[in-house]
Amino acid sequence: MQAYSDRTEVAQYIHGVRTAGTATRTQDVFNPATGEVARQVRLGNVADVDAAVASAQAAFPAWSDTPPIRRARVMFKFLELLNLHKDELARIITAEHGKVFTDAQGEVSRGIDIVEFACGIPQLLKGDFTDQVSTGIDNWTLRQPLGVVAGITPFNFPVMVPMWMFPVAIAAGNTFVLKPSPIDPSASLFMADLLKQAGLPDGVFNVVQGDKEAVDALLVHPHVKAISFVGSTPIANYIYETGAHHGKRVQALGGAKNHMVIMPDADIEQVVDALIGAGFGSAGERCMAISVAVLVGDVADKVLPKLIERTKTLKVLNGMNLAAEMGPIVTPAAHARITGYIEQGVKEGAQMLVDGRDFSSAAAGEGCETGFWMGGTLFDHVTPEMRIYKEEIFGPVLACVRVPDFGTAVQLVNDHEFGNGVACFTRDGNVAREFSRRIQVGMVGINVPIPVPMAWHGFGGWKRSLFGDMHAYGEEGVRFYTKQKSIMQRWPESTPKGAEFVMPTAK
C-alpha cells in the first residue's frame, strides 16, 4: 500500500497508511462558518472497501489471538495520546462541522470515556464456569471476537460516535473498517494516526471515506461480520434490513424527536436554561437534541416569555469564538432543509415566536458573511398533526406543545414513532418515578435535558430509533462485538461405558 501525503485531500487509511485508493470521485468539504471549500474528500469505491476489508481480515488472526491485557495496553496508550491531542481533534471538528469549540471539546471527552471503558476489556471478557455441572463434566462459557466489523457514522459527531464503536470492537479482538461521513472526514484520519502511534498493528483499524457506494459494499461484503450505524431512521432501516439479509449482525441507531415535559412545579430558570442548551446547542444537529417542549397546565405562561428572550439573544458566532453558544449549520443542503421545515410550520398554522431565518450572517463574526448561518427558531401551539412535530428536523427549531395534564403529556410522547430520548422537569418525586416507568423511550432524564448514558451503561433508543437488539457501547457493546461459546468437558476416566441414546441430563 503506497503512502499518500496530499493534505488538501482527505483519502483512505488502509493497512496503516494513508492512501488515495482507486476512487476518482471527490466531494467538497466546507468550512460552515465561512462557506468556503476547505478541502476535498475522495469517495472510496468497491475496490477500496475490498482492500480495507482484506487488510482487516489478514490482521484478524494475530490480533484476536493477542491476550486481552496486551490489547488493553494499546488502548491505554491511545487514551494517553487522545488526552494530549484532544484540543487538536476539537479544532478539526469545529472547522468541518461548525459546532462551537467548547462543544467539540465535550464531544472528544465523551469519546475518551468509551476508550477508558474499553481499557477494562480483560474484565469485560470474563466468562462463567460451573464445576461438576453433571457427574465428571464441567461447563464454561467464553466470548470470542466476530472478525472484521464495520462502523458507518454520521456528520454530527465525527469523533464521539466512531469511538462508540471501534475502541470496544478492537479491544474485544475484532478488526475494524470505519466509513465516516464525507461532510467532516478529517478527524477519522487523525484518530487513525494516533492508533498507529499507540502501537496498533497495521490492518486492525482502516478508514474508507465515501458515500452510498462504500456503504453498500460493506453491507454485502461476505467477510464483514457486523455493522454498526448511527444516522437517520430511513437509512437505519435500510442498513438493518440489508445487513441482516446478508447474514450480518447489525445495530442501527436511527432518528429522534425528543420531548421535554415541563411540569407546573418545575424550576423555571432551570427549564429555560435546559431548553436553550438542549434545543439550540450544536445547532440542534444532535440525535439527543430537545426539539419539542411539552408545556403542562399553565406552565407555558411562565416559560415562554423567558424562552422567547433567550432565543432572540442566543449568541450565534463562529465556533472558535469562545463566547459562542451556537455555530453555523453544517452544509447548504442542511440549511435549505431546515428552512423548508420552518416554512412548513408557518404554513400549517403553528405560531412563530422567533424566526431564525432573520439572523444576519455578518453578526457571526469577520469572514462569516457567506457561511451557513441561522438563528434559533421557536414555535408555539404546535399540534401532533404538523410535520414540524412528527418529523426530525435536525436543526435549531424548537416546537412548543401545550397539554392539560401529566397523563396527556405521557401519552403524547408514547404515541410518537420515535423513542430515543426524553426529559421531564419536576420537583415531584412521584411524578418523576411514574414518568420514568411509564414512558416508552430508551433514554430518560429527570431534570437532565440530554440524558446520554455514560460509557459503562450503553446508548440506544426504542421504537423506530433503534434497529437491532443491542445498544451501543457499554456491556451491550461488548456483547455485540463478541459471540458466546459454551464448552462442556469430560475426561475418559469419568466417562461411563457404552453408548448413550437419550438426551444428556444432569446426573
Side-chain angles (χ1 to χ4, degrees):
M1 192 69 62
Q2 184 176 359
Y4 183 72
S5 59
D6 183 358
R7 299 293 167 143
T8 66
E9 183 178 83
V10 185
Q12 327 308 326
Y13 184 91
I14 300 173
H15 207 69
V17 296
R18 299 188 185 209
T19 173
T22 62
T24 58
R25 293 185 303 124
T26 60
Q27 179 175 311
D28 291 341
V29 178
F30 292 97
N31 178 338
T34 65
E36 297 173 342
V37 175
R39 58 193 59 84
Q40 301 280 318
V41 57
R42 189 176 290 264
L43 302 175
N45 57 21
V46 174
D48 295 326
V49 170
D50 287 345
V53 174
S55 174
Q57 190 179 20
F60 175 69
W63 182 246
S64 62
D65 206 35
T66 300
I69 188 65
R70 287 174 52 195
R71 298 198 297 257
R73 287 170 185 155
V74 173
M75 285 293 108
F76 270 115
K77 184 61 179 178
F78 180 52
L79 174 64
E80 178 187 345
L81 292 169
L82 282 171
N83 279 310
L84 285 173
H85 298 285
K86 59 186 178 183
D87 283 353
E88 292 172 67
L89 260 179
R91 279 189 284 271
I92 291 171
I93 295 168
T94 297
E96 292 185 350
H97 175 277
K99 68 176 64 175
V100 302
F101 180 65
T102 50
D103 189 23
Q105 288 176 308
E107 172 185 342
V108 175
S109 293
R110 287 304 296 260
I112 286 173
D113 288 347
I114 311 298
V115 179
E116 290 179 334
F117 172 79
C119 288
I121 201 67
Q123 171 72 17
L124 296 165
L125 290 180
K126 285 167 59 177
D128 299 315
F129 182 89
T130 302
D131 168 67
Q132 197 77 343
V133 71
S134 187
T135 303
I137 300 177
D138 303 324
N139 189 185
W140 69 90
T141 61
L142 52 85
R143 303 203 70 87
Q144 293 183 310
L146 305 177
V148 180
V149 299
I152 301 165
T153 57
F155 73 84
N156 59 328
F157 289 101
V159 169
M160 184 183 74
V161 171
M163 285 195 199
W164 286 0
M165 303 172 185
F166 74 77
V168 177
I170 288 173
N174 301 281
T175 53
F176 200 92
V177 178
L178 173 64
K179 204 300 291 180
S181 169
I183 291 173
D184 42 13
S186 296
S188 62
L189 298 189
F190 193 94
M191 291 187 291
D193 290 340
L194 294 185
L195 282 165
K196 187 176 179 72
Q197 291 177 45
L200 192 71
D202 293 344
V204 176
F205 181 77
N206 304 273
V207 180
V208 177
Q209 311 292 348
D211 53 13
K212 189 175 186 298
E213 181 179 350
V215 169
D216 286 342
L218 288 168
L219 288 173
V220 303
H221 200 293
H223 298 309
V224 175
K225 303 303 181 185
I227 297 278
S228 298
F229 170 82
V230 175
S232 69
T233 283
I235 305 302
N237 196 3
Y238 170 77
I239 297 285
Y240 179 71
E241 290 181 352
T242 308
H245 178 75
H246 287 86
K248 304 185 192 313
R249 185 177 289 191
V250 181
Q251 66 177 189
L253 283 68
K257 197 71 177 180
N258 305 314
H259 299 67
M260 182 192 289
V261 174
I262 301 151
M263 297 300 294
D265 68 334
D267 184 301
I268 300 304
E269 295 297 334
Q270 289 181 359
V271 163
V272 174
D273 284 342
L275 286 172
I276 287 291
F280 302 128
S282 199
E285 295 170 329
R286 295 171 174 158
C287 66
M288 289 294 284
I290 293 296
S291 52
V292 180
V294 183
L295 304 167
V296 180
D298 62 356
V299 77
D301 297 333
K302 306 172 189 175
V303 169
L304 285 176
K306 296 177 181 291
L307 188 59
I308 292 168
E309 180 62 25
R310 290 288 297 277
T311 305
K312 286 180 177 179
T313 57
L314 194 65
K315 296 175 183 176
V316 184
L317 300 165
N318 187 317
M320 291 308 298
N321 186 331
L322 295 182
E325 296 173 333
M326 187 177 109
I329 306 302
V330 68
T331 63
H335 192 283
R337 187 195 71 248
I338 297 163
T339 300
Y341 272 110
I342 296 171
E343 293 169 353
Q344 183 70 23
V346 174
K347 182 180 177 181
E348 290 180 326
Q351 181 185 358
M352 178 174 282
L353 302 178
V354 183
D355 188 347
R357 297 171 298 177
D358 294 338
F359 180 79
S360 171
S361 58
E366 186 178 353
C368 294
E369 291 79 8
T370 56
F372 316 136
W373 294 95
M374 177 182 291
T377 292
L378 183 62
F379 281 108
D380 191 13
H381 297 290
V382 174
T383 63
E385 297 76 28
M386 296 178 181
R387 282 185 60 196
I388 61 169
Y389 174 79
K390 292 190 292 185
E391 299 178 13
E392 184 177 37
I393 299 173
F394 223 63
V397 180
L398 182 59
C400 295
V401 179
R402 301 183 183 220
V403 298
D405 52 43
F406 175 71
T408 306
V410 170
Q411 192 62 51
L412 178 80
V413 176
N414 287 348
D415 284 345
H416 205 286
E417 67 170 325
F418 296 129
N420 205 49
V422 70
C424 178
F425 273 63
T426 181
R427 287 187 171 95
D428 189 317
N430 184 63
V431 166
R433 183 176 187 275
E434 285 300 301
F435 185 85
S436 300
R437 295 183 69 250
R438 291 168 56 187
I439 211 72
Q440 299 297 305
V441 175
M443 293 171 283
V444 181
I446 302 299
N447 301 317
V448 176
I450 303 181
V452 177
M454 298 306 291
W456 48 95
H457 282 289
F459 181 104
W462 287 9
K463 297 185 280 190
R464 288 182 60 79
S465 293
L466 175 67
F467 297 82
D469 300 319
M470 298 183 191
H471 290 187
Y473 64 84
E475 291 188 5
E476 286 215 353
V478 176
R479 285 191 285 271
F480 179 78
Y481 290 120
T482 56
K483 51 194 173 186
Q484 178 179 291
K485 179 180 287 182
S486 175
I487 301 168
M488 298 187 76
Q489 175 177 275
R490 181 168 62 189
W491 296 101
E493 289 78 6
S494 59
T495 302
K497 303 294 184 182
E500 298 179 0
F501 293 100
V502 298
M503 175 66 68
T505 58
K507 298 175 182 177

